[in-house]
């Protein structure tokens, strides 16, 4: 499948509650319904198999780079990213690549 | 698609050559042919869209946690991970999750 993939991982800050993590997941899960540029959107909380893992990952697929930028800058995404995710993020790792 | 997903990102060490990076990608690309537990295996080098991104990501899908462990411990994977990837890795971020 050609396209453009965005992968982002988060390590939550100490004191982050399960409720905050669940709200992030719930609000992100709404985005495919709000942002048609999203082709596929798979996320998950770490299963605890590997020591030192990050806490959460999103793998999002788009038709191309421009579609990804629409997602990145979309108000619905920005709200979740800036108001829910940023305040509880200790570390963030991201890669975007062509497929 | 239910299953178990392994996502790993790497930031390469300073001085890592393009040739070393390409060899990692080429050797990883051989693994689905060597390790039948791999259901899907998508990787890519960062496209330079986001400042501060990591350099490379692998998203690998398995039937379940045990299948992932077979992959993780498989000699073909261990060789690439320990002999090719570890020596050129500055930072590594990983998440594994149920799907």
């Amino acid at each position: 499948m050609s396209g453009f993939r965005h992968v982002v991982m988060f390590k939550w800050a100490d004191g982050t509650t399960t409720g905050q993590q669940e709200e992030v997941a719930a609000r992100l899960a709404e985005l495919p319904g709000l942002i048609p540029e999203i082709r596929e959107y798979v996320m998950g909380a770490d299963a605890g198999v590997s020591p030192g893992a990050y806490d959460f990952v999103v793998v999002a697929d788009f038709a191309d780079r421009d579609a990804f930028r629409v997602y990145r800058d979309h108000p619905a995404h920005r709200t979740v990213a800036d108001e829910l995710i940023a305040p509880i993020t200790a570390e963030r790792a991201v890669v975007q690549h062509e497929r």
Side-chain angles (χ1 to χ4, degrees), chain A residues 10-34:
Chain A
F10 302 98
K11 213 174 250 191
W12 303 132
D14 291 344
T16 299
T17 66
T18 309
Q20 287 174 306
Q21 295 173 44
E22 285 165 356
E23 188 184 8
V24 164
R27 294 286 299 279
L28 288 175
E30 294 170 359
L31 296 184
L34 300 169

Side-chain angles (χ1 to χ4, degrees), chain A residues 24-75:
Chain A
V24 164
R27 294 286 299 279
L28 288 175
E30 294 170 359
L31 296 184
L34 300 169
I35 308 174
E37 284 75 10
I38 298 172
R39 267 189 176 169
E40 193 175 344
Y41 204 75
V42 177
M43 57 184 153
D46 185 66
V49 172
S50 297
Y54 274 51
D55 296 306
F56 194 78
V57 64
V58 178
V59 178
D61 288 307
F62 305 89
D64 53 37
R65 208 176 280 230
D66 289 338
F68 160 69
R69 289 195 179 104
V70 170
Y71 159 81
R72 181 194 61 192
D73 302 334
H74 194 286

